[in-house]
Amino acid sequence: MKTIEDYQLLTKQALALIEGETDLTANLSNISALLNMNLNKINWVGFYLLKGDQLVLGPFQGNVACYRIDLDKGVCGKAFRTNTTQRIADVHDFPGHIACDAASQSEIVVPINCNGKTVAVLDIDSPITERFNEVDEAGLNHFITQLESKLNF
């Protein structure tokens, strides 16, 4: 399990990784790779970006994924709509869960904001239930908050 200090180091690594690069796709690609390399017991990590009235698949690491998610559907839609992190211990208990990968058992989704508007989400899935805890939530919230102003949405 990661500690807050681990997430702070991961945040510093991500900031150094994207320093000087302005391309959003390149940055999100490397951020998803960094998270995939450093988080254990996950099977998918990536981004969904707002395009029109849907969240559209962005850079990710893992198995094939859903291309589009309606804003009123699934864990990603709820995180986006409410602008709150969603930490789901067992996705099968979440009403309206979208099963892009049948192996996923738990999920955490963190909204990403730019200029006061939610523009995307970071989505991480795990093949075990109750994978994500309060430390993961706080650490990932800090991670995204620090990166938001550096990404060109």
Side-chain angles (χ1 to χ4, degrees):
M1 289 297 196
K2 293 280 184 209
T3 65
I4 287 294
E5 292 77 19
D6 292 331
Y7 278 108
Q8 290 171 341
L9 178 59
L10 196 56
T11 301
K12 288 178 185 175
Q13 291 172 325
L15 289 169
L17 186 65
I18 67 172
E19 186 176 340
E21 179 54 62
T22 59
D23 186 82
L24 181 63
T25 301
N27 284 331
L28 294 181
S29 295
N30 272 336
I31 291 167
S32 61
L34 179 70
L35 290 170
N36 191 53
M37 290 171 27
N38 285 281
L39 298 178
N40 63 352
K41 299 179 183 170
I42 65 168
N43 60 331
W44 200 91
V45 56
F47 298 90
Y48 280 92
L49 291 72
L50 180 65
K51 296 199 178 182
D53 61 353
Q54 292 182 311
L55 292 171
V56 178
L57 181 64
F60 72 94
Q61 300 277 310
N63 293 333
V64 297
C66 299
Y67 287 107
R68 296 176 179 274
I69 298 174
D70 290 334
L71 299 181
D72 61 347
K73 304 283 186 209
V75 180
C76 288
K78 183 168 184 185
F80 185 91
R81 231 179 21 261
T82 62
N83 194 30
T84 59
T85 297
Q86 299 295 306
R87 180 169 44 96
I88 309 301
D90 185 341
V91 295
H92 303 291
D93 292 338
F94 185 88
H97 173 253
I98 302 167
C100 296
D101 181 351
S104 293
Q105 300 296 314
S106 61
E107 183 172 11
I108 189 165
V109 181
V110 182
I112 301 171
N113 294 283
C114 180
N115 298 321
K117 297 178 85 173
T118 309
V119 294
V121 297
L122 167 65
D123 182 16
I124 307 174
D125 294 349
S126 173
I128 61 171
T129 57
E130 299 182 19
R131 158 59 183 88
F132 305 103
N133 61 27
E134 296 85 3
V135 172
D136 296 304
E137 184 173 344
L140 290 167
N141 282 335
H142 173 75
F143 183 87
I144 290 300
T145 299
Q146 295 303 305
L147 290 173
E148 284 173 332
S149 65
K150 308 292 187 208
L151 298 170
N152 292 322
F153 280 96

